[in-house]
């Protein structure tokens, strides 16, 4: 019986030594198997030094129970107590790995594999592991021998004899020996197949890179050649059978479990391609069809089993192609896009626990290192290592990565890989997720030497390292570019000018020499401004590289910085406000329009922040009118007032363009706007409101300048076309009608002269060349067109429409809406024209035929010579004209009976027609999609080229920039054109039925 007080004393000692269940541990220590050593302080100290003392003690008791007899148990206990190396190794493994404890319980003599402590045992290589596997005569025996070898690798790992890089290399060497043993078993089982072919096994991934995990798919590629005199087809089939058998030997589950899966999906064509190819077949595929990521994977290719000569031939043949991969179009963006895709595919519930694939995880380090290797390994053979840490060290030594950044990444990678090893070692299961249970995290933390508060310390260190990686993994690609043009301390390696140019070309810069000059101008010197620029530029360069024109982005940034660099708020805005820097980078590199607007008044960059600058949300028409009218009221004359109004217009056009770009590209925190219609609505509404406010302010300025507060006639401006429909684009003219009505007692002739002078002065002042974009007023939709008077009285309009109105004028008036001037006069004008555009009884058949003739004539006469009709967004089939005329014909025929059709807006009218059953849901959706896409294209063309256009650009870089605005990634401009043609073709089919169809609908 246990003496009183003894239990509490033992209980306390066990707690002090790290046991979490002292009661259970006490029972185990009292077991028969440990009777001889239960009070031995050496054993308790050794158990307390393990990652999980409870697990280690339980495993030791199981191992003792499994010994064949008392003599064997006594030998094991004596050795454990007497031999510290064995004690540390055995208990260390038992405290870290329940799976290896299970193996020892099944194979109780394998503990003796840990007794040896000779120099060659400290760092075994492939030959030593091959000797350890040599006696395996079948797949089960191979599994047992593999686990025995793994036992020694784990022992060296948990005891600190090897560091994480050495452990990973040992695991790769053990995998190499295992693949060789498995292939030997396969060949022995089918000697007739082995005689027909030469087969080489090429390791890829972590095995190829000499940095394998405890449990990981072993990625391989198979290459075969025909033995002289054999039939090629039969030889390849034989090689395929051997390769498949070798894979099954390693992957299949037996009574001893499995070793690890052998994965051949990195081969040409992946799982859809043949398992085994000849060398010439491999080369033909890589030369013609391979994608960028496949060359990235080949970076780690290493022959490990089978015919060594053939394996070396394979590596020698593909290596030149690997180091030319960076010359491929969109190389950097392809690699970065693949990385983003990996992150996006992680379940949301797991992303924060993902050690390997999550943000700031192992894959971020590996991708960054591989990207730099592929860019600079072309000219620097020292970088051509398949091992991540070796490559990182070489990159730092060559100045391709800053030394401090390399040290941080090295530390983070080692810590994260150590965590990954400890997680997998416990159950020998393939996982990269940090466990959620406190017990598991405690064991991992203790195994990494964190003993004060293992769970809290582990979490803190893990987050610290992932944060460092997240911050550095892309920045290391750009920061050395600044060091290449900056003054560095003596002895500090720098990127050579040639290497800097090489990297800029890989990033998509067409003129790397000019880019380096811009970087030198921005970042050189010891001023506070230069210091902040050096902090900002690595991130900005990444955003510029993600655009279609990085050169323009960097040049524009230099111009803005030169203009605003001395203002105290500019760099502070970019540094401190999260959105401002990225928004600016997107705006400066997306095209010409927004940068041109910004350069004329660089202080508008404040709008890009998320503070008090107003942000990128469009302002309401009421607010715009209030600001413009207030500015006009402070002006000394009409010219000064209109200048102020145009200045507000320029600023607000920039706000709208910037919002459009940011919404189209998205940011790191906000994805791109998925609803293309919302982007179109935002631009059309903002530009239309801004145009209306500008006209209102200009009208006020002209009247004040010439007549004081009161004009001798009431005056109103009626918006027409896309202006009246709230659908203006960046480069649209303002289609209007002018209407006036002499005031009581005013002379009609004098009133008419005043109205015409107002119009002439408004047009002149809005078009005067200046730093602000002009606003062109187009009144060609007035009665009698260009030959008719520019301004009419309301009575004149009434007389004309009563006697002379043509169907095209009723058609045009569908979009009429008052936009500025006398509100009552504008309202009465609308009352006048409503019966014309919303005709009771609809249209006569002759009127319908006339509208169709007008449309056909416009298509044939107005389409520019040489333009591709299928890509003309306004007049081409399925373009804006097709959709709008179809919708407007429905309005002319049915608006008198369907109130919802009485709108100037295309999409609203289309929705009303669908709700009224005048058009089917599918046809309406087709027309809506085509209209939105055509409008988006026109807006994007203006953003990119800085001038309006109805067709896609012919310049390749401009076309790519339009594609980026529309959501198509680098290299997918052709997909954009195909998508437009497809959408327009479907819309034209609907138009043929609804607009040109024989029967009424």
């Amino acid at each position: 019986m246990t003496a009183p007080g003894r239990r509490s004393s033992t209980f306390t000692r066990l707690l002090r030594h790290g046991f979490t269940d002292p009661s259970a541990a006490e029972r185990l220590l009292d077991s028969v198997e440990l009777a001889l050593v239960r009070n031995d302080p050496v054993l308790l100290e050794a158990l307390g030094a393990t990652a999980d003392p409870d697990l280690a003690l339980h495993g030791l008791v199981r191992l003792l129970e499994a010994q064949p007899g008392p003599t064997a148990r006594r030998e094991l206990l004596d050795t454990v107590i007497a031999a510290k190396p064995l004690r540390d190794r055995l208990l260390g493994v038992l405290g870290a790995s329940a799976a290896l404890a299970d193996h020892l319980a099944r194979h109780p003599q394998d503990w003796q594999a840990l007794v040896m402590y000779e120099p060659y045992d400290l760092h075994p290589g492939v030959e030593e592991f091959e000797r350890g596997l040599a006696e395996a005569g079948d797949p089960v025996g191979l599994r047992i021998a593999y686990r025995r070898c793994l036992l020694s690798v784990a022992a060296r790992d948990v005891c600190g004899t090897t560091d994480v890089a050495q452990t990973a290399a040992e695991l790769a060497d053990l995998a190499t020996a295992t693949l060789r043993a498995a292939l030997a078993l396969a060949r022995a089982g089918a000697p007739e197949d082995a005689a027909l072919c030469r087969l080489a096994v090429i390791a890829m991934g972590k095995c190829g890179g000499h940095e394998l995990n405890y449990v990981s798919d072993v990625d391989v590629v198979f290459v075969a050649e025909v033995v002289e005199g054999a039939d090629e087809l039969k030889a390849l089939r034989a090689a395929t059978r051997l390769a498949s058998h070798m894979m099954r030997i390693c992957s299949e589950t037996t009574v001893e479990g499995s070793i690890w899966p052998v994965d051949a999906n990195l081969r040409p064509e992946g799982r859809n391609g043949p398992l085994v190819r000849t060398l010439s077949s491999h080369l033909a595929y890589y030369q013609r069809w391979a994608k960028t990521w496949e060359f990235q994977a080949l970076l780690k290719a290493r022959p490990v089993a089978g015919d060594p000569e053939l394996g070396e031939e394979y590596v020698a043949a593909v290596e030149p192609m690997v180091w030319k991969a960076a010359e491929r179009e969109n190389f950097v963006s392809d690699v970065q896009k693949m990385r983003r895709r990996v992150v996006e595919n992680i379940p949301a519930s797991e992303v924060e626990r993902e050690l390997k694939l999550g943000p700031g995880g192992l894959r971020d380090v590996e991708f960054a290192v591989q990207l730099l290797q592929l860019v600079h390994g072309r000219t620097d053979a020292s970088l051509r290592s398949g091992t991540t840490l070796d490559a990182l060290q070489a990159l730092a030594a060559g100045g391709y990565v800053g030394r401090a950044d390399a040290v941080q990444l090295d530390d983070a990678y080692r810590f994260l890989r150590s965590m990954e090893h400890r997680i997998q070692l416990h159950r020998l299961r393939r996982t990269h997720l940090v466990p959620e249970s406190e017990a598991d995290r405690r064991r991992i933390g203790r195994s990494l030497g964190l003993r004060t508060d293992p769970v809290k310390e582990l979490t803190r260190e893990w987050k610290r390292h992932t944060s460092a990686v997240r911050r550095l993994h892309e920045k290391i690609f750009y920061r050395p570019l600044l060091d290449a043009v900056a003054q560095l301390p003596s002895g500090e390696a720098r990127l050579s000018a040639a290497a800097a140019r090489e990297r800029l070309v890989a990033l998509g810069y067409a003129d790397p020499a000019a880019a380096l000059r811009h970087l030198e101008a921005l970042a050189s010197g010891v001023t506070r401004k230069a210091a902040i620029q050096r902090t900002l530029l690595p991130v900005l360069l990444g955003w510029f590289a993600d655009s279609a024109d990085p050169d323009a982005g960097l040049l524009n940034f230099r111009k803005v910085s030169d203009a605003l660099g001395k203002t105290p708020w500019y760099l502070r805005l970019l540094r401190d406000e999260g959105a401002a820097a990225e928004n600016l980078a997107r705006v400066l590199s997306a095209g010409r329009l927004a940068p041109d607007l910004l350069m004329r008044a660089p202080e508008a960059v404040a709008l890009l922040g998320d503070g008090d600058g107003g942000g990128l949300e469009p302002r309401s028409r009421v607010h715009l009118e209030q600001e413009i009218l207030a500015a006009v009221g402070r002006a000394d004359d009409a010219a000064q007032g209109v200048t102020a109004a145009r200045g507000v217009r320029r600023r607000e056009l920039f706000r709208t363009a910037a919002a459009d770009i940011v919404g189209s590209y998205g940011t790191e925190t906000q994805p791109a706007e998925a609803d293309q219609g919302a982007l179109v609505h935002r631009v059309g509404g903002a530009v239309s409101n801004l145009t209306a406010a500008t006209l209102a302010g200009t009208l006020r300025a002209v009247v004040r300048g010439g007549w004081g507060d009161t004009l001798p006639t009431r005056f109103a401006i009626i918006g027409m076309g896309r202006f009246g429909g709230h659908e203006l684009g960046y480069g649209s003219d303002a289609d209007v009608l002018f209407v006036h009505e002499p005031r009581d007692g005013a002379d009609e002739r004098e009133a008419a002269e005043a109205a015409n002078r107002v119009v002439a002065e408004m047009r002149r002042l809005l078009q005067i060349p200046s730093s602000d974009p002009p606003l062109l007023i187009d009144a060609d939709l007035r009665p009698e067109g260009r030959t008719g008077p520019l301004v009419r009285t309301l009575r004149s309009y009434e007389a004309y429409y009563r006697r002379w109105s043509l169907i095209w004028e009723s058609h045009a008036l569908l979009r009429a809406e008052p936009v500025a001037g006398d509100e009552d006069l504008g309202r009465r004008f609308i009352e006048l024209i409503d019966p014309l555009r919303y005709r009771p009884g609809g249209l006569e058949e002759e009127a319908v035929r006339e509208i169709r003739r007008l449309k056909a004539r416009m298509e044939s006469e107005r389409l520019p010579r040489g333009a591709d009709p299928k890509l003309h967004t306004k007049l081409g089939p399925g373009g804006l004209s097709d959709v709008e005329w179809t919708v407007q014909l429905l309005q002319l025929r049915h608006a008198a009976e369907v109130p919802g059709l009485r709108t100037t807006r295309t999409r609203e009218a289309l929705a009303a027609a669908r709700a009224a059953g005048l058009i089917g849901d599918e046809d309406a959706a087709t027309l809506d999609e085509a209209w939105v896409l055509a409008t988006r294209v026109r807006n994007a063309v203006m953003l990119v080229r800085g001038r309006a256009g109805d067709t896609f650009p012919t310049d390749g870089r401009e076309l790519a920039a339009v594609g980026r605005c529309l959501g198509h990634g680098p290299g997918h401009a052709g997909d954009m054109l195909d998508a437009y043609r497809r959408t327009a073709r479907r819309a034209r089919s609907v138009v043929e039925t609804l607009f040109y169809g024989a029967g009424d609908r």
Side-chain angles (χ1 to χ4, degrees), residues 172 203-212 300-302 385-388 390:
M204 308 282 280
K206 282 188 161 52
C207 184
H210 230 72
E211 50 188 16
L212 198 60
K300 292 181 178 288
R302 178 173 65 94
S385 170
T387 306
T388 301
D390 290 348

Side-chain angles (χ1 to χ4, degrees), residues 70-391:
T71 303
R73 275 197 295 274
R74 182 58 185 261
E75 180 188 0
L76 172 58
L77 277 175
D78 287 348
T79 309
V80 166
I81 298 302
K84 185 179 189 305
L86 171 76
R87 180 169 66 246
D88 292 344
R89 296 168 89 180
L90 176 60
L91 295 182
V93 168
L94 293 174
S97 178
L100 288 177
D102 291 343
H103 172 83
L104 285 170
R106 289 195 307 273
H107 305 283
Q109 296 305 306
D110 278 2
W111 67 269
Q112 297 190 36
L114 304 179
V115 173
M116 297 301 295
Y117 213 68
E118 301 301 324
Y120 70 82
D121 183 51
L122 290 177
H123 301 292
V126 177
E127 291 182 5
E128 288 76 19
F129 287 126
E130 283 188 289
R131 284 197 294 270
L133 302 175
E135 296 180 6
D138 57 41
V140 173
L142 183 59
R143 280 154 175 69
I144 296 170
Y146 173 82
R147 290 290 175 92
R148 187 183 304 123
C149 292
L150 190 64
L151 191 65
S152 65
V153 173
R156 287 187 291 275
D157 180 15
V158 298
C159 290
T161 306
T162 54
D163 65 17
V164 66
Q166 292 168 325
T167 300
E170 285 188 15
L171 290 167
D173 286 341
L174 176 55
T176 297
T178 306
L179 290 171
R180 291 178 183 178
L183 183 58
L185 289 175
R187 292 170 66 91
E192 65 284 357
D193 284 345
L196 289 175
C197 63
R198 298 165 59 203
L199 177 65
V201 183
I202 311 298
M204 308 282 280
K206 282 188 161 52
C207 184
H210 230 72
E211 50 188 16
L212 198 60
N213 302 328
Y214 276 102
V215 187
S216 175
D217 289 358
V218 172
D219 296 309
V220 299
V221 167
F222 296 104
V223 58
E225 292 296 338
V226 183
V227 168
E228 188 174 349
D231 177 79
E232 181 173 340
L233 184 58
K234 289 182 179 178
L236 282 175
R237 287 175 176 168
T240 301
R241 287 192 292 271
L242 288 173
S244 298
H245 191 189
M246 187 205 84
M247 293 173 70
R248 288 197 303 275
I249 288 171
C250 296
S251 305
E252 286 184 344
T253 301
T254 69
V255 291
E256 288 292 334
S258 66
I259 301 176
W260 20 245
V262 177
D263 189 341
N265 287 337
L266 291 178
R267 65 186 184 270
E269 298 180 78
R271 62 185 63 190
N272 297 319
L275 182 64
V276 180
R277 290 175 182 256
T278 62
L279 178 56
S280 61
S281 177
H282 275 281
L283 296 180
Y285 173 84
Y286 287 124
Q287 287 163 353
R288 293 191 62 188
W289 307 112
K291 297 181 173 62
T292 299
W293 70 263
E294 293 177 277
F295 294 109
Q296 186 180 355
L298 283 172
L299 192 152
K300 292 181 178 288
R302 178 173 65 94
V304 292
D307 190 303
E309 185 178 336
L310 178 58
E312 292 297 342
E313 286 179 30
Y314 174 89
V315 171
V318 300
E319 188 176 37
M321 289 186 275
V322 172
W323 303 112
K324 288 182 180 178
E327 299 171 7
R328 295 165 66 93
E329 188 177 2
N330 302 314
F331 162 72
V332 171
S333 61
D334 282 350
V335 174
Q336 292 174 333
K337 184 171 26 175
M338 185 175 179
R339 172 67 190 121
R340 286 194 292 269
R341 193 181 303 130
V342 169
V343 175
E344 289 165 1
N345 289 333
I346 303 172
S349 60
E350 297 179 358
V351 69
E352 289 301 320
R353 295 191 294 124
E354 250 291 354
L355 266 184
K356 178 181 178 181
L357 303 178
L362 293 163
R363 187 58 60 88
D364 273 351
V365 181
E366 292 160 359
F367 262 61
V369 169
Q370 290 163 22
L371 197 58
L372 291 170
Q373 285 181 277
L374 290 169
V375 170
H376 299 296
R378 290 177 291 175
T379 54
D380 189 343
S382 71
L383 306 180
R384 299 177 183 179
S385 170
T387 306
T388 301
L389 290 176
D390 290 348

Side-chain angles (χ1 to χ4, degrees), residues 8 107 219 636 873:
S8 64
H107 305 283
D219 296 309
D636 294 332
T873 60

